[in-house]
Amino acid sequence: MTKQKVMVAEAKSGMDMAMTVVPKALFAAEMKKPPLMPGGYITISKKKLLQNLEINGGTRINAWVESMRASSPTSHRKSDVSLSQELTSWMDRHPSALNVFDEITNASKGKQIVMFLDYDGTLSPIVDDPDQAYMSDAMRSTVRKLAGCFPTAIVSGRCRDKVYDFVKLAELYYAGSHGMDIKGPSKGSKHKKNPPSVLCQPASEFLPMIDEVYGLLMEKTKSTPGAKVENNKFCLSVHFRCVDEKKWSELAAQVRSVLKDYPKLRLSQGRKVLEIRPTIKWDKGKALEFLLESLGYANCTDVFPIYIGDDRTDEDAFKVLRERGQGFGILVSKIPKDTNASYSLQEPSEASFQ
């Protein structure tokens, strides 16, 4: 596979649309070669799976609902002073990428930049109806410019085809279904006229099961106003953004009643969404590693990956970057969160760097 040499210019370059600097120590760690394909299933018993998912009885349902509230805050219960102090402390640890913008050029000079971008909450705002999560023209223009300078990938929990319909840029790499459906650009870009052919679908055998569970969840949740089940091909999303908080326990019980018969599927949480995925060792972090491998960067000591995301599922990618000791993650969030990201942005509009 031909290695791309994408370097940062000394002065005004495409990096003017990227941002921040990482401590030199982050570049010192020895690189590990990422796997080409997933390493198999997560070994876990059905009993343990039920316990881990907290869907094994009323008490665990209550714990699960509390976790839903924690990951999807609807209001701040702390005082303004306490919140301000917490945010200041958090920003000291995860400074705004925009505030240290001028330092990035020195940190990335001579390095091969690769951009990874989440979609919902990063390139588009979080909206009540997930089918209406459109990105702005300004954001699309920024992403197009980035892709003209660096290899750029969209890594989303959404179905790959749906993300493409939102973004509409053929020169990008798309990793849908939390990285379980990866495809390379359908056309070249300024820096790569003939991009490598990339296709990775490590969860293909789960398609019949996913479709079956989708039908069951559609039927089971139809009695809960505002609940929306989305089929993302290799995974499912149960959105509860429009569900009355008093109904969350009911919705959690409905999801529990379906998943208890499918031990090869696991449940995780995002921003007012329950994510159902196969229990294979694959996530957004693995997708990032796979794409770096496919691009020929697996053993490069001077590659500079940047990942921007807003959700719990993006933490897998942030963690990979920390472990590799290369590049950095940027969390898009208005509130303090535990994160492996190095830097932060307040909202999607800041990610357009206009």
Side-chain angles (χ1 to χ4, degrees), residues 17 19 98 115-126 133-147 152 154 166-169 171-172 174 308 332 345-354:
M17 292 168 291
M19 49 198 87
L98 298 180
M115 295 295 302
F116 297 90
L117 306 166
D118 182 28
Y119 183 76
D120 293 278
T122 300
L123 299 182
S124 73
I126 297 293
Y134 300 112
M135 68 191 303
S136 67
D137 290 340
M139 183 66 79
R140 181 175 291 102
S141 175
T142 294
V143 175
R144 181 183 291 112
K145 290 174 183 176
L146 282 174
T152 301
I154 308 295
F166 279 133
V167 179
K168 301 183 186 301
L169 295 175
E171 59 268 39
L172 306 183
Y174 288 88
I308 308 177
V332 182
L345 291 171
Q346 289 285 301
E347 55 190 31
S349 61
E350 291 188 349
S352 66
F353 318 114
Q354 298 298 310

Side-chain angles (χ1 to χ4, degrees), residues 68-139:
M68 290 165 69
R69 291 194 181 102
S71 66
S72 308
T74 55
S75 62
H76 298 300
R77 295 178 173 83
K78 298 182 180 180
S79 68
D80 290 342
V81 173
S82 177
L83 280 172
S84 178
Q85 292 175 340
E86 184 178 348
L87 181 59
T88 298
S89 175
W90 188 80
M91 290 297 294
D92 286 341
R93 300 190 305 274
H94 309 284
S96 169
L98 298 180
N99 291 344
V100 290
F101 175 86
D102 292 337
E103 301 174 31
I104 181 102
T105 305
N106 290 333
S108 60
K109 193 173 295 182
K111 298 185 183 297
Q112 300 173 332
I113 297 166
V114 186
M115 295 295 302
F116 297 90
L117 306 166
D118 182 28
Y119 183 76
D120 293 278
T122 300
L123 299 182
S124 73
I126 297 293
V127 295
D128 289 343
D129 184 353
D131 291 333
Q132 302 298 312
Y134 300 112
M135 68 191 303
S136 67
D137 290 340
M139 183 66 79

Side-chain angles (χ1 to χ4, degrees), residues 156-222:
S156 172
R158 299 274 202 140
C159 169
R160 174 170 55 81
D161 290 340
K162 185 174 292 185
V163 175
Y164 181 85
D165 288 341
F166 279 133
V167 179
K168 301 183 186 301
L169 295 175
E171 59 268 39
L172 306 183
Y173 293 81
Y174 288 88
S177 302
H178 297 290
M180 291 181 286
D181 189 8
I182 303 174
K183 189 174 182 180
S186 56
K187 75 173 187 179
S189 61
K190 293 179 181 178
H191 61 82
K192 192 69 176 179
K193 299 301 181 182
N194 297 303
S197 177
V198 177
L199 181 64
C200 177
Q201 297 179 329
S204 295
E205 66 181 276
F206 287 90
L207 281 176
M209 183 184 296
I210 292 292
D211 288 339
E212 182 178 319
V213 172
Y214 172 68
L216 293 173
L217 286 172
M218 286 287 290
E219 180 65 24
K220 185 68 70 172
T221 63
K222 68 181 183 181

